[in-house]
Amino acid sequence: MEYKIAMDENFKLDIRKRPRRLRKSDAILSLCEETRVNPSDLILPVFIKEGKSGASEIESMPGVMRHTIDSLFRVCEKALKRGVKAIAPFPQVDPKSKSDRADEALNAKSLANRAISAVKKRFPEMALIADIALDPYTTHGHDGILDSSGQRILNDETVEILSGMALMAAQAGADFVAPSDMMDGRIGAIRSALDECGFVDTAIMAYSAKYASAFYGPFRDAIGSSPNGGQKQGKPKKYLDKRGYQLNPANVREALKEAALDEEEGADVLMVKPAGAYLDVISKVRASTSLPIAAYQVSGEYSMIMAAAQRGWIDLERAKRESLIAIKRAGADMILTYFA
Ligand code: PBG
């Protein structure tokens, strides 16, 4: 049997529906575009350190710097100029200020709180999202305090400290407090503490579905929450096991349960983290609530794209845009991203 291919350019299939009509030109493509990422959808996470001048590089996050409060001002100015109107500062705490019980977390004049009030004063229009978790402050790098055996994170005691920490951040001028610790009951406790002290307008952005992910590695370098510079007996400690409180990557119903609890307890925004490998979670949480959804494109997601682009294996601009569009398409209203 012989199959004859029509070589005539005017050959036409007998079809009426041709979706490619809508991909004919840039103008038509953009008319039909379903999702757009605007600078005002983005939240820029920034790393801060003590000192007067000089930002320093973070080896595992090409292009991302640790800033002093002074150099942070320049970052804010540039961000605002480009339409990015929110930042989320994360402190690299001096090892001398760390302790098993994270005492520095309750210091009203901690690096994080000083940065928040300085930025709020200088750029009142900038939305400030304060991280509420103990990992920058504990010697062991966990998000909570440990029991006497050193094996378990104490939930309720940790929540007490987090509530105090949230108050300090609110007092410093944070618009949002964002508990990223995954302890039980923290949203309710923080809401009560804020309300009791008159901070009724401080909002809570809850890291509701935060997974025990391998993609946080570079972040732990950035804030130095990997004890002993990331190495202990040749074992990379930045892969600290947080499965006792963060979610199992295999689960999605559990994320919906956490999101529902946080909403009930008074969260204003729910977050899914990481983002790229959890698009199904974003879309399911989106369908389960009318609250705004945030998604965090984490350090490892950023660094993978940057590393491949640096080797010339992918096109940075396109990969960056595509990764963010996917997160928005899945249902995120706002995205925390180092690309901001
Ligand atoms: C911990 C915290 C983590 C990130 C933000 N806050 C990681 C962790 O659980 O160790 C990760 C962000 C990133 O990887 O970009 N409170």
Side-chain angles (χ1 to χ4, degrees):
M1 190 151 130
E2 198 189 330
Y3 182 70
K4 199 157 166 287
I5 295 171
M7 294 296 282
D8 177 2
E9 244 187 67
N10 293 316
F11 171 75
K12 291 288 175 259
L13 283 175
D14 184 19
I15 49 175
R16 297 169 62 81
K17 303 210 166 158
R18 292 182 180 269
R20 287 186 56 197
R21 286 178 197 127
L22 300 183
R23 298 176 208 136
K24 214 162 48 186
S25 70
D26 269 354
I28 298 173
L29 276 168
S30 72
L31 285 172
C32 299
E33 192 158 80
E34 298 175 35
T35 311
R36 264 175 216 160
V37 177
N38 310 304
S40 57
D41 300 328
L42 305 179
I43 298 167
L44 175 65
V46 289
F47 297 109
I48 46 173
K49 59 172 190 176
E50 295 286 359
K52 266 265 158 271
S53 64
S56 56
E57 305 222 13
I58 301 161
E59 209 182 316
S60 53
M61 300 185 72
V64 177
M65 313 288 270
R66 268 183 223 99
H67 291 279
T68 62
I69 293 180
D70 287 342
S71 65
L72 180 60
F73 284 160
R74 287 194 291 279
V75 174
C76 292
E77 209 176 313
K78 229 163 109 185
L80 286 168
K81 237 182 230 146
R82 304 206 183 161
V84 174
K85 296 185 258 188
I87 63 165
F90 292 94
Q92 180 192 38
V93 175
D94 184 341
K96 287 197 293 289
S97 303
K98 297 190 185 195
S99 64
D100 283 353
R101 295 189 54 89
D103 304 284
E104 178 68 8
L106 291 173
N107 179 359
K109 292 269 170 278
S110 68
L111 170 62
N113 290 330
R114 274 181 283 127
I116 288 168
S117 56
V119 172
K120 197 74 215 174
K121 203 162 146 209
R122 177 93 171 249
F123 304 100
E125 69 274 40
M126 180 71 95
L128 279 160
I129 296 146
D131 184 54
I132 306 297
L134 303 186
D135 54 308
Y137 304 99
T138 51
T139 33
H140 43 74
H142 277 293
D143 293 29
I145 54 174
L146 296 167
D147 68 2
S148 50
S149 75
Q151 295 305 306
R152 264 194 82 75
I153 307 292
L154 292 166
N155 190 86
D156 301 18
E157 292 78 351
T158 298
V159 169
E160 279 289 296
I161 303 176
L162 294 173
S163 304
M165 192 179 171
L167 282 177
M168 302 294 153
Q171 194 172 38
D175 298 283
F176 282 91
V177 291
S180 65
D181 55 288
M182 290 303 282
M183 297 301 128
D184 294 334
R186 83 255 206 244
I187 302 303
I190 289 173
R191 187 69 270 160
S192 304
L194 289 171
D195 289 351
E196 263 166 47
C197 296
F199 295 107
V200 293
D201 289 329
T202 306
I204 301 179
M205 182 181 294
Y207 285 67
S208 302
K210 177 173 180 183
Y211 284 87
S213 170
F215 294 108
Y216 306 147
F219 174 93
R220 294 182 192 171
D221 287 340
I223 66 160
S225 70
S226 335
N228 310 318
Q231 296 286 319
K232 196 182 190 182
Q233 291 141 10
K235 244 178 135 188
K237 277 285 273 211
K238 65 182 163 191
Y239 306 121
L240 206 61
D241 185 353
K242 297 190 175 181
R243 285 176 301 174
Y245 41 108
Q246 299 179 346
L247 291 182
N248 180 348
N251 295 354
V252 64
R253 289 196 305 270
E254 203 180 4
L256 295 174
K257 178 174 81 184
E258 289 281 2
L261 279 172
D262 286 354
E263 179 165 8
E264 221 173 276
E265 290 178 32
D268 299 283
V269 175
L270 305 178
M271 194 195 299
V272 175
K273 173 185 178 184
Y278 295 85
L279 297 179
D280 58 325
V281 181
I282 296 174
S283 108
K284 287 189 171 131
V285 174
R286 167 71 292 152
S288 77
T289 179
S290 51
L291 293 182
I293 307 287
Y296 198 143
Q297 182 183 51
V298 301
S299 56
E301 299 179 71
Y302 170 86
S303 296
M304 284 194 304
I305 293 174
M306 290 301 286
Q310 282 182 338
R311 294 185 167 209
W313 291 347
I314 57 174
D315 179 311
L316 177 60
E317 280 312 311
R318 291 183 53 207
K320 173 170 38 176
R321 209 169 319 127
E322 190 173 329
S323 70
L324 294 172
I325 282 182
I327 296 165
K328 184 120 188 251
R329 193 189 62 228
D333 300 286
M334 58 194 103
I335 307 173
L336 291 101
T337 173
Y338 302 94
F339 289 126

